[in-house]
């Protein structure tokens, strides 16, 4: 069921990308800053569009690529609801208060608004990993806010 749901959402996101509307906003790739000596992830937006039936909310679909051995800085996604689907490779992920989980190609997870993402990493030191990430966020809000450096 979880994989089938992920395939449905991934297919829907692909269809939305393929049939983007005139109100679509241009988006540019965002590369995270490397601060820990490890490579980091690259977020490449595919589509970003205000939801016509939910005032003040925006739908964004993006790919997040993790080079071999890459890890993301601990972060939050503001008030966004987040859905992540593993397109390639294997990643480990942990939300605050939950155990570390390993997700393989075809698996998925969700993050509730305000969740603290304390760990995300590519488990392979030789192969990249890639996610499809869908955000339903407050319009104008940053999609990723790294924790302050201590």
């Amino acid at each position: 069921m979880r994989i089938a749901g992920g395939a449905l959402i991934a297919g829907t996101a692909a269809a939305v990308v393929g049939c983007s509307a005139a109100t679509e906003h241009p988006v540019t790739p965002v590369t995270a800053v490397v601060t820990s000596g490890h490579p980091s992830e690259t977020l490449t937006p595919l589509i970003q569009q205000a939801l016509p039936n939910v005032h003040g909310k925006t739908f964004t679909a993006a790919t997040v690529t993790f080079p071999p051995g890459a890890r993301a800085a601990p972060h939050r996604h503001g008030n966004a609801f987040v859905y992540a689907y593993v397109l390639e490779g294997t990643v480990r992920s942990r939300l605050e208060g939950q155990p570390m989980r390993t997700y393989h190609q075809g698996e998925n997870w969700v993050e509730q608004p305000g969740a603290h993402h304390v760990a995300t990493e590519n488990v392979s030191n030789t192969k990249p990993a890639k996610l499809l990430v869908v955000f339903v966020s407050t319009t104008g809000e940053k999609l990723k806010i790294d924790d302050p450096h201590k």
Side-chain angles (χ1 to χ4, degrees):
M1 176 74 170
R2 191 168 85 177
I3 291 174
L8 176 63
I9 290 177
T12 301
V16 168
V17 171
C19 301
S20 59
T23 58
E24 178 182 332
H25 300 287
V27 289
T28 55
V30 177
T31 303
V33 177
V34 178
T35 58
S36 64
H38 292 277
S40 192
E41 79 280 11
T42 301
L43 183 140
T44 305
L46 301 170
I47 184 173
Q48 188 171 50
Q49 184 170 345
L51 292 173
N53 60 339
V54 185
H55 180 72
K57 295 295 181 181
T58 296
F59 170 93
T60 303
T63 56
V64 179
T65 304
F66 289 85
R71 63 178 67 151
H75 61 276
R76 296 177 192 270
H77 297 288
N79 288 315
F81 175 80
V82 180
Y83 169 81
Y85 178 85
V86 182
L87 295 168
E88 299 173 19
T90 303
V91 297
R92 266 192 297 262
S93 178
R94 186 169 82 80
L95 298 175
E96 187 172 69
Q98 297 181 12
M100 182 75 85
R101 297 269 323 263
T102 301
Y103 298 93
H104 303 279
Q105 183 176 355
E107 295 184 319
N108 63 85
W109 72 89
V110 296
E111 298 177 27
Q112 298 300 317
H116 188 205
H117 207 152
V118 295
T120 315
E121 59 191 20
N122 181 352
V123 300
S124 175
N125 287 318
T126 59
K127 296 178 184 175
K130 188 176 201 177
L131 306 174
L132 170 67
V133 183
V134 175
F135 303 87
V136 177
S137 62
T138 301
T139 301
E141 186 175 80
K142 285 184 165 186
L143 294 178
K144 180 178 182 248
I145 303 114
D146 288 342
D147 289 0
H149 301 321
K150 296 180 179 183

